[in-house]
Every structure is written in structure tokens, then in C-alpha cells.
């Protein structure tokens, strides 16, 4: 099978790229090792569309987050998936005021709209269930919630409807480049493509290893060291406990344990951030990790009734040690091989922007791009 572009990985990143490419007169294949799209990092996600105040100004993460957040509502209308713009609060105590002011300044620098810092009275008027000693908060009105797998499925289905070939249960085993063509051997097929987009999540470095020249390895350029996050999903009886996405003030290991409604009316609580991950596909849960989530969550919302828990789950983030940004662009070592790697939070928030970014890169690499007249939603 011969294609213009092969996308490896059908999570939110790969599916969003496939969706955007399906608007053009291209032969595109989306390759996934699982038996459906969205089954790895994407499905085990908090479901938050971040406003964009957290990434450092000037990073690719900041640029794509803000663009994605602004375009999510229109995407939800076009593809008919659940979306609720409920806003978010980063809450803190007196000692956290300086950090919250820094997040506000960062958000303004990133171009985030409708940001404000609230005092104690304003906070508790909006969120009566918060701990009584919460005295300062950053309100981001543009933050929203979605169902991650709904977004991914909607994008993948629309891409297929518009001619993209989806290959499930096809694990990439080897990639070789012969002149200007990549030969991709999967567990079932041999595929030829002029361009390859590596969107393989926690396995993006493994995929990169398959195509690098002998003597080179992906770890020399980026090394995925997953971080596991574990969650509680509570019954809808707890769903009205908060009105916004409630974040704690962030630390070096992440945005803290959040408490939020889901688009279906449940309450989601989590995650932790475990870096002791030896298996990139390990989505087990541990009692001590869940105990940590509970301990931290009640510092925000003391009245959460964890007896209303209906399930626990975990997911792994594709973290790159020492880098607080995405790795996006053509490989310097392999021409026409494009990495979308290290896509951790706010990756879901960037879904509307990943495809646009891919189009930009492919155009710069010389791929002829002509829009279809018969694209359908």
C-alpha cells in the first residue's frame, strides 16, 4: 500500500492530524497497534481543555494550547461531541498568592483571555464547597471540559469518512528509508509513504529508534520517561459538588490533584504523578497512589464522599526528562520524518492545533497541498 503520509498512533494527536489532512487531496494512512483509536494515553485523561496560562511563554506548548482552546467550541459543534465551557480555578492559600500572580502574568503573555485573580469572598461565592482557608484563586473563564475519547473518535471517524485509511491492530515493527520513500513494516502490512508523522505517545522514542541510522538512538534526542496518573471517577451524586475545574497551585511534578465535573455529570478526582514507571503500558492502580489522591483532593474540597466512587483508572503521560515542552518538527537526522513527541498535558487542549501544525510542517517540506471540494463533516 502506497501513501503520501503515514501517521503512527491513533490517539488524540494522530487522530487530530489525520482529521486535518483529510481536508486535502492526499492519500493518508493512520496506523494503530491497538484494536481501536484512543485506547492509550487519550482514554485515561482528565478531559480538561486548559485555558493556556500554565505553559511557559514562547514554548510550542503555550502556542498550541491557546490556539486549541480558542477553537475547541467550533470543533465540538462541527463534530458533535460533548463540550462544556465551565471555566477553571487555580486555588491557593495566602502563601500561594505570588505563584498565582505569576500564572496570571504568564497567561496574559500567552494571549489567554478572561483571566482574573479572585479574593476569598469571590472564590467562596462561586465555589461554596472549597476548603475555608482558600483565600486566592486564578479564574480562567475559557477553560472547558470534554470527553477525550469522544473527541478522538469523532476526529478519526471524520478522517475515515473523508478517505483516510485506518489500520487497527497494526503494530509498527520496522521502518526503513529507501531513497525518498519510507517502508513501514507492521505486524500485518507493508506500507510505503513519502512522509511519516510519529504520534506514538509513550512509544514515540521507540518508533524513532526504528528509523534512525545505525549507531544513533532516540535517547540522544528525546527520551520518553512516562509518568503515571491515577484517578477516582465518582457517581453523578457528587457531580454538583464543584462548578468549575478546581486546580491546586502547580508544582514541579504537575498541576496537582484536580477536582472537576465531567461532561456526563460525574466527578473526576486526580491524578497523582508517579515517575517510578518501568512499563510504558502499565495502567494498573495502586492503593497507596489512590490514597495520595484522596489526601490531596480533600485539601481543596473537604466534603468529597469517596464512598460514591464507581471506578478507578490510570494513564501514562509521555514525559521527556528535562524538557517542559513538546518535540514537534522534522527530524534533523531523517528527512521527511516528523516527530510529535512528548505530548503530555495540555496535549488534549491542543487537539484543534496539531493538525494545523502538521499542515504547516508538511508544506515547508515541499508537499503539495490542495484542499478538497467534497470534504464532509
Amino acid at each position: 500500500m502506497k501513501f503520501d503520509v503515514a501517521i503512527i498512533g491513533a490517539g488524540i494527536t494522530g487522530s487530530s492530524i489525520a482529521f486535518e489532512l483529510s481536508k486535502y487531496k492526499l492519500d493518508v494512512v493512520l496506523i494503530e497497534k491497538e484494536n481501536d483509536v484512543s485506547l492509550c494515553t487519550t482514554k485515561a485523561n482528565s478531559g480538561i481543555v486548559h485555558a493556556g496560562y500554565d505553559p511557559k511563554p514562547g514554548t510550542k506548548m503555550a502556542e498550541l494550547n491557546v490556539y486549541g482552546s480558542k477553537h475547541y467550541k467550533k470543533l465540538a459543534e462541527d463534530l458533535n461531541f460533548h463540550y462544556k465551557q465551565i471555566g477553571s480555578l487555580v486555588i491557593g492559600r495566602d502563601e500561594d498568592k505570588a505563584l498565582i500572580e505569576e500564572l496570571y502574568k504568564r497567561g496574559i503573555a500567552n494571549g489567554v483571555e478572561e483571566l482574573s485573580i479572585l479574593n476569598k469572598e469571590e472564590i467562596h461565592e462561586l465555589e461554596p464547597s472549597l476548603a475555608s482557608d482558600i483565600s486566592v484563586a486564578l479564574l480562567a473563564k475559557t477553560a472547558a471540559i470534554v470527553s477525550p475519547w469522544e473527541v478522538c473518535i469523532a476526529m478519526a471517524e471524520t478522517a475515515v469518512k473523508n478517505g483516510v485509511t485506518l489500520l487497527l491492530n497494526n503494530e509498527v515493527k520496522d521502518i526503513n528509508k529507501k531513497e525518498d520513500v519510507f517502508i513501514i513494516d507492521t505486524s500485518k502490512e507493508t506500507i510505503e509513504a513519502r512522509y511519516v508523522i510519529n504520534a506514538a505517545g509513550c512509544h514515540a522514542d521507540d518508533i524513532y529508534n526504528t528509523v534512525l541510522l545505525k549507531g544513533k538512538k532516540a535517547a540522544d534526542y528525546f527520551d520518553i520517561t512516562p509518568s503515571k496518573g491515577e484517578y477516582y471517577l465518582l457517581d453523578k451524586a457528587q457531580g454538583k459538588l464543584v462548578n468549575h475545574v478546581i486546580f491546586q497551585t502547580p508544582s514541579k511534578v504537575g498541576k496537582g490533584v484536580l477536582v472537576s465535573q465531567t461532561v456526563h455529570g460525574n466527578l473526576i478526582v486526580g491524578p497523582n504523578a508517579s515517575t517510578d514507571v518501568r512499563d510504558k503500558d502499565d495502567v494498573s492502580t495502586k492503593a497507596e497512589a489512590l490514597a495520595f489522591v484522596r489526601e490531596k483532593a480533600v485539601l481543596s474540597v473537604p466534603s468529597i464522599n469517596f464512598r460514591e466512587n464507581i471506578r478507578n483508572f490510570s494513564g501514562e503521560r509521555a514525559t521527556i526528562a528535562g524538557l517542559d515542552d513538546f518535540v514537534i518538527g522534522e527530524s534533523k537526522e531523517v528527512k521527511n520524518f516528523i516527530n510529535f513527541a512528548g505530548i503530555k498535558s495540555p496535549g488534549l487542549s491542543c487537539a484543534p492545533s496539531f493538525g494545523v501544525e502538521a499542515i504547516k510542517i508538511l508544506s515547508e517540506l515541499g508537499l503539495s497541498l490542495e484542499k478538497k471540494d467534497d470534504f464532509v463533516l
Side-chain angles (χ1 to χ4, degrees):
M1 295 188 288
K2 296 183 179 181
F3 298 91
D4 296 309
V5 183
I7 305 165
I8 301 172
I12 193 68
T13 305
S15 294
S16 63
I17 293 170
F19 166 72
E20 193 66 31
L21 292 187
S22 73
K23 299 176 183 179
Y24 294 82
K25 295 178 180 179
L26 296 170
D27 290 322
V28 179
V29 60
L30 180 59
I31 306 167
E32 172 56 48
K33 70 183 179 70
E34 304 292 342
N35 64 9
D36 205 348
V37 304
S38 82
L39 289 188
C40 296
T41 297
T42 298
K43 73 173 175 57
N45 189 289
S46 304
I48 312 301
V49 178
H50 296 276
Y53 54 78
D54 191 60
K56 293 179 180 178
T59 62
K60 185 62 68 176
M61 190 181 285
E63 174 192 343
L64 300 186
N65 184 170
V66 174
Y67 179 96
S69 179
K70 288 180 178 179
H71 289 79
Y72 238 108
K73 185 177 181 180
K74 177 64 164 57
L75 184 67
E77 291 170 353
D78 288 344
L79 299 186
N80 194 31
F81 58 78
H82 289 85
Y83 170 91
K84 292 183 181 180
Q85 187 178 321
I86 64 173
S88 68
L89 285 171
V90 182
I91 60 172
R93 294 159 176 84
D94 291 345
E95 62 269 23
D96 300 313
K97 186 175 181 181
L99 179 52
I100 285 177
E101 288 176 347
E102 174 61 30
L103 289 175
Y104 173 80
K105 293 175 184 177
R106 192 181 294 181
I108 296 301
N110 288 344
V112 180
E113 300 172 352
E114 299 187 82
L115 284 177
S116 58
I117 295 178
L118 306 184
N119 62 33
K120 186 170 185 176
E121 291 72 23
E122 292 169 325
I123 296 164
H124 290 277
E125 183 176 350
L126 290 176
E127 293 288 355
S129 296
L130 291 181
S132 60
D133 61 343
I134 300 300
S135 58
V136 62
L138 176 64
L139 172 63
K141 291 186 178 180
T142 58
I145 52 175
V146 294
S147 173
W149 52 91
E150 282 186 20
V151 181
C152 188
I153 291 169
M155 288 180 140
E157 284 185 342
T158 306
V160 170
K161 191 189 304 183
N162 286 281
V164 170
T165 299
L166 174 61
L167 297 179
L168 300 173
N169 295 308
N170 273 260
E171 182 176 1
V172 172
K173 298 294 188 181
D174 198 14
I175 306 174
N176 291 285
K177 191 173 186 187
K178 295 182 179 179
E179 297 180 351
D180 293 330
V181 176
F182 292 94
I183 310 298
I184 306 169
D185 292 316
T186 79
S187 51
K188 291 186 176 181
E189 308 281 354
T190 296
I191 298 156
E192 293 185 18
R194 296 163 57 202
Y195 299 84
V196 172
I197 297 178
N198 174 17
C202 289
H203 291 280
D205 53 350
D206 301 324
I207 294 297
Y208 196 24
N209 274 327
T210 65
V211 75
L212 282 170
L213 297 175
K214 190 174 181 180
K216 295 184 178 181
K217 56 185 184 295
D220 293 334
Y221 311 103
F222 62 87
D223 188 14
I224 304 292
T225 54
S227 169
K228 182 191 283 190
E230 304 189 27
Y231 294 85
Y232 283 86
L233 184 65
L234 278 67
D235 188 79
K236 292 180 180 179
Q238 295 288 298
K240 299 294 185 182
L241 201 55
V242 295
N243 304 309
H244 300 72
V245 182
I246 307 299
F247 292 111
Q248 298 170 339
T249 47
S251 67
K252 292 181 179 179
V253 295
K255 299 180 177 71
V257 171
L258 68 85
V259 180
S260 176
Q261 297 178 17
T262 72
V263 289
H264 299 295
N266 299 86
L267 191 76
I268 189 169
V269 180
N272 65 323
S274 172
T275 56
D276 183 26
V277 178
R278 295 179 175 83
D279 180 357
K280 292 182 178 182
D281 299 309
D282 176 17
V283 290
S284 62
T285 56
K286 295 183 179 180
E288 57 268 30
L290 294 170
F292 173 87
V293 170
R294 289 181 60 165
E295 176 188 341
K296 295 300 181 183
V298 296
L299 296 177
S300 301
V301 186
S303 58
I304 298 173
N305 183 2
F306 285 94
R307 292 180 181 178
E308 297 278 2
N309 185 50
I310 59 175
R311 73 160 300 176
N312 300 108
F313 65 95
S314 76
E316 293 190 0
R317 313 167 184 87
T319 304
I320 297 175
L323 179 66
D324 196 18
D325 201 2
F326 302 144
V327 174
I328 294 178
E330 183 192 26
S331 160
K332 294 179 180 179
E333 295 72 43
V334 186
K335 184 175 174 57
N336 295 338
F337 187 92
I338 302 164
N339 286 306
F340 274 71
I343 310 298
K344 58 178 182 177
S345 179
L348 176 68
S349 310
C350 302
S353 58
F354 283 140
V356 176
E357 189 71 8
I359 290 293
K360 176 183 173 183
I361 295 168
L362 288 166
S363 178
E364 290 173 350
L365 293 178
L367 180 62
S368 177
L369 296 165
E370 182 182 353
K371 280 209 167 183
K372 294 176 178 175
D373 297 324
D374 56 351
F375 176 80
V376 292
L377 291 168

